[in-house]
Amino acid sequence: TQPATLPCPRTMSMSPEEYFRSLPPVTKTYLCGAVGLTMAEYLGIVKIEMVILNYGLIFSKWPQIWRLVTCFLFFGKFGMPVLFQFFILGRYLNLVETGKYKPSEPGKTAEMVTFLLFGAICLLVFAYFVPVFYLGPSLSFMVLYIWSRSDAMNSVSFWGFRIKQWHVPFVMLLMAVIMKSNPILDIFGIMVGHLWHFLTEIVPQVYGRQIIWTPTFIYRMFDNRPPRIIPRRGGYSLRD
């Protein structure tokens, strides 16, 4: 089995330009925004006070609503913990998008956007009660958790050790603590990732109900033809 936590040989043989061009659209867009804003703050082009999450300013007389977006693009002061988060974002968002939400399949890009919007909304609610200033690491950990559940019992290689795929987020969490990163952001991501997994995978299979679906207007925004959803006993089946 190809080590799932390390770049595959094909990726390692690519030039940076080839690798960038190979990324699917949502991954490419998010990664560019995250790296761009974090580096802009590092270079002094943008002040950190203008991009972090601050509900007092968002709900002020002159609402600074851009903070609802920039708090997911800013990953903290540039350093090793941030590079570690960029690795998680680029690697696992790519795997989720090319695995479960293939851009070549009808409606999948819209469903990928719905997945990220669900995570962003949940994290914003959490952040209202537990003050944090940026949520980019939380969203990337949510993506990592969803990837880990795609084939939970698969054995993967992690720095020479064999572990189960579902263990990876928790090993990464431990590494983040060792690197002196704030673990609460990663824990938020794991919690929201599990909520998405429960509502979209377990509930339809066990209770035969679909609680979350992609709105028609999001399908239209991304010019994707939505798949037909056909009810069946124990869940739903999809037809192109």
Side-chain angles (χ1 to χ4, degrees), residues 78-90:
F78 186 75
M80 282 303 299
V82 170
L83 292 176
F84 181 61
Q85 291 291 346
F86 283 161
F87 164 76
I88 295 175
L89 177 66

Side-chain angles (χ1 to χ4, degrees), residues 8-29:
C8 65
R10 183 177 65 86
T11 301
M12 294 177 65
S13 64
M14 290 182 176
S15 67
E17 181 180 0
E18 290 172 334
Y19 173 73
F20 178 76
R21 290 180 180 275
S22 73
L23 293 174
V26 176
T27 300
K28 184 183 295 183
T29 301

Side-chain angles (χ1 to χ4, degrees), residues 14 18 31 46-47 69 94 108 123-124 129 158 168 173 176 203 218:
M14 290 182 176
E18 290 172 334
L31 190 60
V46 175
K47 291 184 177 180
V69 176
N94 185 9
K108 291 301 182 180
L123 290 170
L124 286 170
F129 298 100
F158 190 88
V168 174
L173 176 62
V203 169
I218 295 184

Side-chain angles (χ1 to χ4, degrees), residues 72 117 169:
F72 289 101
L117 285 175

